[in-house]
Amino acid sequence: MELDGRRVALGVTGGIAAYKAAELTRLLVREGATVRVAMTAAAERFVTPATFQALSGNRVCADAWDADIGHGMAHIDFTRQADVLLVAPATANFLAKAAHGIADDLLSTLTLARACPLLVAPAMNRQMWNHPATRRNVATLTADGADILGPVSGAQACGETGEGRMLEAAEIVEEVIAHFQPKRLLGRKVLLTAGPTFEAIDPVRGITNLSSGKMGFAVARAAREAGAEVTLVCGPVALPVPRGVARVDVVSALEMRAAVMRHVAGRDVFIGVAAVADYRPETASEQKRKKDGNTFPAIELVENPDILAEVAALPRPPLCVGFAAETRNLAEYAEKKRRAKNIPLIVGNLIADGFGGDTNTLALFDDDGRHDLPLAPKLDLARQLIARVASLLENPRASH
Ligand code: C5P
């Protein structure tokens, strides 16, 4: 569980999105967090404290004069026992009060008295969100070190469409998890490839492989969690893009190369996780190929460009990381690839159980030799890989 041992103080303010805070509580608890909820009086008009009490397993605080809490100092106790204060939904009124240090109810008081970081997930009508006063308040909160999560554009409860919709509960949980990760790639720009490529034979057929894209998406998420600006070029996969990651969809290896070359300038790191098809049909038939009954069809193949090797050969290349999926002789083949492509780090993966699982076993090969990463969820492995990448960025090798 991603939030084991973490203590989240959840502030709920009075917007219609308060109903999503119930689901948010459930998901935080499911990830192992201890959740204590504080509600404003307006929030209680939308959802009752009993809902949050049942979902969090803890008493809900609403009244600054509640003598039952701690030593009778609710506003002090509440966040002293928290690793983060998350306010979701955060109304325009809450943002205004927090930005100006107004403390006229329990939640605004404990926001001011807190001793932990503040994350807010705003939710409001688009005009309220775009109002100069709200813009100023958000800028002030950001300057004060708060993390503003969203909002996003979409249909609003008032019937309008625009920016001001709160993030979904699962997205907020992803942000809370990211908050606790070390920010070793802050200010860095990372470009990745992921998934398979699809090389067309005709309009309905093609050559592809069983890459699920899960490892590449996990690495993209881990890089973003570490504070990097991340662009992910991916072949045909049905996975949702991690929050905060820019996604570029491509189909073939040639399209993947073009997208990578378009985005590579100014990057600190390039990680090729994609299983790029080695070959493509020389020409894709414009019409669907038909059986003629007499001859067996032959498909002329030509070699695809090696995207990773091309990036590594650029005049001022980013730090390049490759993946090597092998069915045998992992160390030998991985080292060979590392030298052939002239890259400092290659991630070896012995394909024992096929593609597509949620866990994996990896081995990192770099100038320091081999470093094994035992069986773990792909996100855990991705974080370890990103830590290694951060170390290499901090201590670049003279040879590369
Ligand atoms: O040579 P091989 O395909 O085994 O190398 C795998 C590594 O090279 C991966 O990181 C993969 O993303 C990258 N690669 C590439 N372009 C290719 C083939 C592989 O970027 N055409």
Side-chain angles (χ1 to χ4, degrees):
M1 288 187 292
E2 293 285 341
L3 295 172
D4 257 340
R6 304 291 189 186
R7 298 161 308 175
V8 178
L10 175 62
V12 182
T13 69
I16 179 57
Y19 80 92
K20 292 189 187 176
E23 173 74 353
L24 175 59
T25 305
R26 195 182 69 82
L27 295 181
L28 289 168
V29 170
R30 199 177 68 181
E31 288 293 349
T34 302
V35 181
R36 287 190 69 199
V37 177
M39 302 177 76
T40 62
E44 289 190 43
R45 300 290 197 110
F46 289 94
V47 191
T48 71
T51 301
F52 291 103
Q53 196 151 313
L55 291 169
S56 70
N58 287 313
R59 243 181 119 255
V60 171
C61 308
D63 183 354
W65 304 108
D66 189 339
D68 281 357
I69 301 163
H71 311 295
M73 303 277 270
H75 64 293
I76 302 293
D77 286 347
F78 195 86
T79 60
R80 288 292 182 277
Q81 294 158 9
D83 298 309
V84 69
L85 171 60
L86 168 66
V87 181
T91 57
N93 181 54
F94 173 80
L95 297 180
K97 290 202 290 187
H100 291 88
I102 293 172
D104 64 353
D105 64 0
L106 177 65
L107 182 60
S108 55
T109 306
L110 63 87
T111 301
L112 195 61
R114 79 184 188 281
C116 62
L118 173 64
L119 305 185
V120 294
M124 66 198 72
N125 166 271
R126 64 187 173 86
Q127 263 159 342
M128 295 172 84
W129 175 249
N130 287 317
H131 193 285
T134 307
R135 310 277 78 243
R136 279 195 302 276
N137 294 334
V138 168
T140 302
L141 284 169
T142 305
D144 287 348
D147 257 349
I148 314 289
L149 316 177
V152 291
S153 255
Q156 300 203 296
C158 52
E160 296 177 11
T161 301
E163 204 178 355
R165 226 180 116 92
M166 190 170 84
L167 297 185
E168 294 304 324
E171 295 174 314
I172 296 175
V173 173
E174 208 175 308
E175 294 283 5
V176 174
I177 291 167
H179 169 81
F180 289 112
Q181 294 303 314
K183 303 292 171 224
R184 291 188 65 188
L185 293 186
L186 207 60
R188 303 286 195 176
K189 292 185 178 171
V190 176
L191 180 64
L192 300 106
T193 62
T197 63
F198 180 91
E199 313 296 331
I201 294 170
D202 68 16
V204 295
R205 305 184 183 94
I207 300 171
T208 186
N209 59 67
L210 290 175
S211 166
S212 67
K214 284 181 182 173
M215 193 64 221
F217 275 59
V219 179
R221 176 171 169 181
R224 197 260 169 172
E225 283 179 345
E229 184 186 318
V230 182
T231 300
L232 175 62
V233 178
C234 55
V237 289
L239 297 173
V241 67
R243 265 205 55 72
V245 169
R247 174 182 188 146
V248 181
D249 282 302
V250 296
V251 175
S252 66
L254 291 182
E255 283 175 26
M256 186 172 275
R257 171 170 70 169
V260 165
M261 292 307 164
R262 232 181 10 254
H263 288 94
V264 75
R267 299 282 166 170
D268 301 289
V269 181
F270 174 70
I271 310 179
V273 197
V276 184
D278 290 328
Y279 304 100
R280 67 176 182 278
E282 186 169 23
T283 49
S285 159
E286 273 182 30
Q287 304 297 330
K288 186 178 170 196
R289 289 173 69 146
K290 307 297 286 179
K291 276 193 279 199
D292 73 5
N294 299 319
T295 54
F296 287 107
I299 300 169
E300 279 301 322
L301 297 177
V302 292
E303 204 167 344
N304 270 327
D306 188 322
I307 302 168
L308 180 58
E310 285 188 9
V311 172
L314 289 172
R316 289 174 55 225
L319 180 97
C320 287
V321 181
F323 270 69
E326 305 293 346
T327 51
R328 62 198 168 103
N329 299 345
L330 181 64
E332 183 193 332
Y333 289 150
E335 261 309 323
K336 224 185 222 166
K337 267 179 205 175
R338 192 167 85 88
R339 294 187 193 291
K341 294 175 197 269
N342 192 27
I343 55 175
L345 172 61
I346 195 149
V347 184
N349 167 20
L350 204 52
I351 317 166
D353 308 318
F355 279 159
D358 291 321
T359 57
N360 209 348
T361 311
L362 300 178
L364 309 184
F365 298 88
D366 59 23
D367 285 352
D368 287 341
R370 174 179 180 148
H371 179 64
D372 282 291
L373 307 182
L375 184 73
K378 287 182 173 173
L379 183 57
D380 283 1
L381 296 168
R383 287 177 183 148
Q384 295 176 64
L385 170 61
I386 288 299
R388 185 72 197 141
V389 167
S391 298
L392 288 175
L393 281 173
E394 287 154 17
N395 302 300
R397 295 279 175 159
S399 57
H400 288 283

